[in-house]
Amino acid sequence: MSDQTSMISARGLRKSFVQRSRKGPGIEFEAVRGIDVDVRRGVAFGFLGPNGAGKSSTMRMICCVSPVSGGELRIFGLDPATHGPEIRSRIGVCPQEDTLDNELNVWENLYVYGRYFGLPRDVVRDRIDELLDFVQLTEKAQAKVDDLSGGMKRRLTIARSLINKPEILILDEPTTGLDPQARHVIWDRLFRLKQQGVTLVLTTHYMDEAEQLADRLVVMDKGVIVAEGSPRELIEQYSTREVAEIRFGVGENEALAPKVEDLAERVEVLPDRLLLYTDDGERALQDVLGRGLRPETTLVRRATLEDVFLRLTGRSLAD
Amino acid sequence: MALVNTAVTTAVARPVRPGEAVGLLVYRNLLSYRRAWFVFATGFLEPVLYLFSIGIGVGRIVHGFEFNGEAIDYRDFVAPGMVAASAMNGALLDATFGFFFKLKYDKLFDQMLATPLTTLDVARGELAWSLLRGGIYSAAFVVVMLLMGLVGSWWAVLVVPAALLIGLAFGAVGMALTTFMRSWQDFEYVTLGMLPMFLFSATFFPVTAYPDWLRWVVECTPLYRGVVLCRELTTGALSWGSAVSVVYLVALGVGGLVVVRRRLDRLLLK
Ligand SMILES: Nc1ncnc2c1ncn2[C@@H]1O[C@H](COP(=O)(O)OP(=O)(O)OP(=O)(O)O)[C@@H](O)[C@H]1O
Ligand SMILES: [Mg+2]
């Protein structure tokens, strides 16, 4: 499915922002602190990380709308500083915040946007029909953007990002704020694009989304990459096979943690529950009960990316 | 059908040429105003109302008015000033309020910059639109003048291109200033600058009414240069001063455009 062609390559990539104050020199803040990334053709590549990790800053540099502060970045082997328009004509962008044109209706949004890519009128018209169908918005073609629901706007943004038949599709939190059904529609569409050979680069706060869509993942924290691999590899490397979740009464979890610490390879204390990392969750649970502890609820499950995330960033993904 | 479908799959996206980009941005603005033609039309009314109330109303009681050493009807004096003012109004409306809204609230330019368009394309396209709006207002105004018999020379045909120059200067400078605005309150300054210019730039009376120093100040304002240029054209009294006005207005337009582009880089490509 993937070949060796490098679509995106970053070496020691940095991004800093200067926050100007009224008096005195500006304060420099480094949002991305030297990351290496390689995305090959046909791959679905995911960026995970807590708020402020630098995911969007990285996406914006890849989209050539944010100048690189340091290091090297190449997209299709081209330098964004000198080939911005060429690169942008070959990528599709779904930014974190919708940037739809509220003064135009749905159809016009797609039409005008498509024309910005130098595509002939009739080509854009035909593609609009296809894309509206693809994101199930055909009957909304004449609707005002303001009248669309959040999920419909997101779908329209995705349709818009596909109008130029991009080789790379960049999605910054494509499904944040959507209901489960809308998310499944989008996953399905993205999956089809992947099968057509489109390279996907996405950020997300949803672990299930990352597991479903991404072939390769990087976890970012405070501007650096802290782990990289396929979802499977990451789980194997950073977590045990199973997790036993136990929940005691409000406020008791932390106090009881020392009593179960030796029953698992690692114990994670969350405000509302304890997570026991072990290869045999049922066994750990029996041991907990054997010590006379009576949790209010218990659950044994397979480890997920959420556990990897917790381990690496010390925060739960939903933060 | 098969033929069309081949085109659909083979057409390749590419960066657009500068001229194309301008056309596309103007087209986008036309689309958005199609539902707001009323807003578009009202911008034209103000100078027309002034022409009727002051040019014609007040004109009835003003006699022996001289311009360039010749006797001239007061309304013939006021009308070309109103052409210039309508060009200024037309250009500034979109270059200030409209531009600010697109820049800060609508995120419209962020959307455009995700495509092959550049900040220079955005600056040129928006300026072209302001210019077009100013041009349409002035052309309509010239038609009003013609209907009322206020045009005294064939040179008047050139009033429309002159109005475009005024639109260019005001559009570019207006957009440049707008990039520095932080909130809607700051637009009070625009109103504060426009109103005195409108009233005192030789629109309703000649600059000879001022003391010398003040006259110099007024002669340096862009509206004054525009008003005088239009008046020279409608009365057929062209001079070297007209050429100076042309150069001055073009320089403002180009300078403004350069600033707008730099500021858009700063504001949008963070
Ligand atoms: N234009 C800017 N000026 C100053 N600081 C900025 C700017 N954009 C981002 N930052 C800072 O850079 C850091 C990284 O932000 P970024 O948007 O890349 O995070 P993120 O990983 O996308 O987070 P989230 O999950 O919340 O979207 C943050 O601390 C943010 O405050
Ligand atoms: Mg983000």
Side-chain angles (χ1 to χ4, degrees):
Chain A
M1 191 166 62
S2 73
D3 65 25
Q4 299 303 306
T5 320
S6 170
M7 302 299 268
I8 300 171
S9 112
R11 291 287 167 272
L13 182 62
R14 290 176 179 276
K15 179 75 210 181
S16 43
F17 297 102
V18 181
Q19 263 133 356
R20 262 159 232 288
S21 52
R22 292 237 148 182
K23 30 187 176 295
I27 312 150
E28 192 157 296
F29 174 79
E30 242 191 346
V32 180
R33 304 162 188 250
I35 60 170
D36 294 347
V37 179
D38 272 296
V39 181
R40 282 178 312 211
R41 187 187 290 281
V43 160
F45 198 95
F47 282 81
L48 306 179
N51 290 142
K55 304 180 299 293
S56 296
S57 303
T58 307
M59 297 299 121
R60 286 175 48 82
M61 285 191 280
I62 295 173
C63 298
C64 317
V65 292
S66 170
V68 169
S69 310
E72 190 189 82
L73 178 62
R74 293 287 176 273
I75 297 115
F76 308 116
L78 302 171
D79 182 351
T82 53
H83 291 76
E86 285 86 347
I87 296 170
R88 291 199 300 267
S89 71
R90 294 167 64 186
I91 62 180
V93 183
C94 176
Q96 183 165 353
E97 279 169 47
D98 287 322
T99 55
L100 296 164
D101 194 332
N102 294 311
E103 289 171 70
L104 305 181
N105 69 26
V106 168
W107 192 91
E108 290 164 347
N109 256 279
L110 294 171
Y111 181 75
V112 170
Y113 197 81
R115 297 279 290 141
Y116 293 154
F117 285 88
L119 295 167
R121 291 184 186 82
D122 50 342
V123 170
V124 177
R125 280 197 199 101
D126 281 12
R127 283 192 189 170
I128 292 174
D129 292 343
E130 277 173 28
L131 287 172
L132 284 178
D133 186 45
F134 187 65
V135 296
Q136 300 177 339
L137 283 177
T138 305
E139 63 282 17
K140 293 281 178 188
Q142 300 304 320
K144 280 166 61 180
V145 169
D146 270 340
D147 296 343
L148 298 182
S149 74
M152 290 176 183
K153 283 186 192 167
R154 214 61 193 141
R155 263 141 63 192
L156 177 57
T157 303
I158 291 180
R160 196 185 68 180
S161 69
L162 293 171
I163 197 106
N164 59 327
K165 296 231 154 126
E167 294 165 62
I168 303 177
L169 181 59
I170 293 170
L171 304 137
D172 199 349
E173 301 190 22
T175 66
T176 296
L178 301 193
D179 69 30
Q181 207 181 342
R183 289 177 67 202
H184 280 286
V185 172
I186 289 185
W187 288 354
D188 172 68
R189 298 305 183 258
L190 295 179
F191 207 77
R192 289 191 209 186
L193 289 167
K194 204 173 120 180
Q195 283 182 323
Q196 291 166 22
V198 178
T199 306
L200 302 180
V201 177
L202 73 147
T203 76
T204 179
H205 286 294
Y206 300 114
M207 282 312 97
D208 45 350
E209 184 162 290
E211 285 198 53
Q212 289 256 347
L213 291 173
D215 306 312
R216 286 197 74 74
L217 289 170
V218 292
V219 180
M220 281 185 83
D221 194 18
K222 302 189 183 77
V224 295
I225 290 178
V226 290
E228 175 164 12
S230 69
R232 247 311 21 95
E233 285 165 4
L234 287 175
I235 292 168
E236 276 166 20
Q237 191 177 347
Y238 293 97
S239 179
T240 53
R241 211 165 58 85
E242 292 189 339
V243 187
E245 293 194 7
I246 54 179
R247 185 199 302 267
F248 293 104
V250 176
E252 289 174 32
N253 291 295
E254 194 164 353
L256 289 172
K259 297 202 173 167
V260 298
E261 223 158 35
D262 56 323
L263 298 179
E265 282 180 35
R266 199 164 56 82
V267 174
E268 191 82 48
V269 184
L270 298 187
D272 63 334
R273 64 208 137 122
L274 300 176
L275 303 181
L276 276 58
Y277 288 94
T278 164
D279 284 330
D280 189 344
E282 281 303 334
R283 181 72 204 272
L285 212 52
Q286 291 310 320
D287 292 346
V288 169
L289 297 174
R291 290 193 174 171
L293 298 171
R294 291 290 170 266
E296 289 179 357
T297 54
T298 62
L299 166 73
V300 173
R301 57 171 175 83
R302 293 183 71 88
T304 66
L305 277 175
E306 179 107 31
D307 301 298
V308 174
F309 194 90
L310 260 173
R311 166 98 185 262
L312 289 170
T313 68
R315 273 174 278 185
S316 114
L317 261 158
D319 278 359
Chain B
M1 193 62 208
L3 207 96
V4 174
N5 277 337
T6 337
V8 170
T9 45
T10 56
V12 178
R14 59 173 169 84
V16 290
R17 289 181 291 274
E20 277 180 298
V22 166
L24 288 170
L25 263 82
V26 168
Y27 174 72
R28 187 249 150 224
N29 281 307
L30 275 175
L31 270 184
S32 86
Y33 267 103
R34 216 174 41 183
R35 281 180 212 91
W37 61 268
F38 185 70
V39 178
F40 194 95
T42 49
F44 167 64
L45 271 180
E46 197 179 294
V48 176
L49 294 180
Y50 273 102
L51 177 66
F52 279 93
S53 96
I54 301 198
I56 300 186
V58 177
R60 289 245 163 86
I61 51 175
V62 177
H63 295 290
F65 192 80
E66 280 200 2
F67 172 65
N68 262 351
E70 278 178 50
I72 174 178
D73 264 354
Y74 182 64
R75 54 180 204 170
D76 290 336
F77 179 84
V78 170
M82 293 303 104
V83 180
S86 69
M88 171 178 87
N89 267 3
L92 274 184
L93 282 172
D94 274 305
T96 54
F97 298 101
F99 192 66
F100 189 73
F101 182 74
K102 290 170 185 165
L103 182 65
K104 294 274 160 79
Y105 290 91
D106 227 14
K107 308 265 178 229
L108 186 69
F109 304 143
D110 292 284
Q111 175 216 115
M112 291 176 179
L113 293 176
T115 75
L117 297 178
T118 63
T119 45
L120 187 56
D121 289 329
V122 170
R124 278 193 296 232
E126 286 299 314
L127 179 58
W129 167 250
S130 290
L131 222 144
L132 183 67
R133 188 167 177 182
I136 291 173
Y137 285 1
S138 340
F141 202 91
V142 170
V143 172
V144 171
M145 284 171 67
L146 267 175
L147 293 178
M148 295 175 54
L150 294 178
V151 180
S153 153
W154 275 105
W155 284 111
V157 177
L158 291 178
V159 163
V160 173
L164 286 180
L165 282 183
I166 298 168
L168 177 77
F170 276 98
V173 172
M175 279 161 65
L177 291 177
T178 300
T179 61
F180 290 97
M181 308 261 174
R182 289 148 305 175
S183 68
W184 292 109
Q185 272 88 10
D186 288 343
F187 283 97
E188 290 301 320
Y189 295 111
V190 174
T191 323
L192 212 65
M194 270 172 83
L195 192 61
M197 249 200 285
F198 176 65
L199 293 175
F200 300 112
S201 295
T203 30
F204 298 108
F205 53 89
V207 277
T208 43
Y210 296 121
D212 272 353
W213 66 270
L214 188 56
R215 185 174 162 174
W216 274 102
V217 174
V218 171
E219 288 194 357
C220 286
T221 64
L223 186 59
Y224 173 82
R225 308 262 39 126
V227 167
V228 170
L229 184 62
C230 288
R231 190 169 291 137
E232 284 161 349
L233 287 165
T234 49
T235 55
L238 285 178
S239 69
W240 279 110
S242 323
V244 171
S245 299
V246 169
V247 171
Y248 179 79
L249 293 172
V250 170
L252 273 186
V254 173
L257 193 63
V258 171
V259 174
V260 172
R261 189 258 168 99
R262 287 235 184 105
R263 290 288 299 166
L264 287 183
D265 278 350
R266 264 286 280 286
L267 294 172
L268 299 174
L269 304 179
K270 285 188 285 208

